[in-house]
Amino acid sequence: MSDLDDARARFERLSTADGVLFDMSEAAWASMERDDFAQTTGERAKLDYLKGVRDAVKRETSEALRSWRAALERDIAQQRTRTGSRRIERSR
């Protein structure tokens, strides 16, 4: 796999993980709403934990997106260099 493929795959994995964590948070909120927020200590603890995990995953996802963009820019630059070399050879 190329750097570009690796970077994209990492970003997609982390984005999926963030989506799962979001769904878990939504489920905890729905559970608290069903119970009319009575005795929701356990759900609140889950939400606090999930918030910390989601924040960490979001940071990693942002870094993965930056890496993916950098790999894409490198790939584009390499393609332009190859294309430019071919043009020079053709013009001779």
Side-chain angles (χ1 to χ4, degrees):
M1 253 188 184
S2 70
D3 288 343
L4 181 60
D5 293 333
D6 289 341
R8 189 187 100 233
R10 181 171 179 250
F11 172 74
E12 288 176 354
R13 282 192 307 273
L14 288 165
S15 294
T16 299
D18 184 52
V20 169
L21 292 168
F22 176 80
D23 291 345
M24 291 170 69
S25 296
E26 289 295 305
W29 275 107
S31 175
M32 289 191 310
E33 289 172 353
R34 275 193 306 275
D35 293 338
D36 232 359
F37 296 94
Q39 299 178 358
T40 57
T41 306
E43 296 299 331
R44 288 180 189 263
K46 281 183 201 174
L47 285 170
D48 288 342
Y49 175 75
L50 288 171
K51 182 181 182 329
V53 173
R54 276 195 79 203
D55 289 346
V57 169
K58 283 184 180 200
R59 283 190 300 275
E60 285 189 48
T61 303
S62 293
E63 177 57 36
L65 181 58
R66 282 191 292 276
S67 296
W68 183 18
R69 286 180 178 163
L72 182 59
E73 288 173 5
R74 283 190 304 272
D75 192 52
I76 290 170
Q78 288 173 353
Q79 288 178 5
R80 285 183 181 156
T81 301
R82 284 186 220 134
T83 304
S85 297
R86 288 185 203 138
R87 287 184 191 150
I88 292 170
E89 289 174 10
R90 286 183 194 156
S91 66
R92 291 180 182 178

